[in-house]
Amino acid sequence: MEKPYNKHNFHKNTFCIFKEVTFQAIENLKLSYKSKSGSSYYFTDKGVFRVSNHWGRAANCRWRLESISMSISKINNNVTLSLSKCNFNNQVECNSEPAKVLKINNSKERIGYANWTDFIPIMKMKSYFISK
């Protein structure tokens, strides 16, 4: 069994899909950590909030942001996310289709949230990354 992720190890070679949230989600939280690249982290018992203007590759991790607008687009069938065809419970089981992920505009800060259980070792997803 894999070791559980927490505030001490979530940033070590992981893949995760953060869900975009509004500022109200962190307004009463105390800043836990500020990275050299300017990202802010707010740790909770169940997960982490990340405020950043850069998503995708973050150091040795691959962190995606499922934006609020992307969720709306999915409802209108404007965006296809084959990542939703993956099962992330303990083992990653995906079909053979590569994932199509909408690129997030990195010009402004966005806030994402992920549970500690949402992080998986990056090696489990290596063959599913899109390279440009």
Side-chain angles (χ1 to χ4, degrees), residues 70-100:
M70 184 186 297
S71 297
I72 293 168
S73 295
K74 282 177 14 185
I75 292 169
N76 295 328
N77 292 321
N78 293 331
V79 174
T80 301
L81 287 177
S82 57
L83 284 176
S84 63
K85 297 177 187 173
C86 296
N87 173 5
F88 294 102
N89 297 329
N90 295 331
Q91 291 185 326
V92 177
E93 300 171 4
C94 297
N95 64 18
S96 59
E97 276 184 55
K100 297 176 184 174

Side-chain angles (χ1 to χ4, degrees), residues 9-18 35 39-41 43 48-50 52 54-66 101 104 106 114 116 118-120 122 129:
N9 64 0
F10 76 100
H11 55 86
K12 297 179 181 177
N13 300 298
T14 57
F15 174 84
C16 188
I17 300 174
F18 285 74
S35 72
S39 297
S40 299
Y41 297 87
F43 302 134
V48 60
F49 290 93
R50 180 175 189 251
S52 183
H54 54 283
W55 295 87
R57 286 187 180 193
N60 57 18
C61 299
R62 302 295 184 270
W63 293 344
R64 305 284 188 221
L65 178 67
E66 184 173 349
V101 179
I104 297 296
N106 282 335
W116 298 126
D118 294 335
F119 291 87
I120 61 172
I122 201 167
F129 295 133

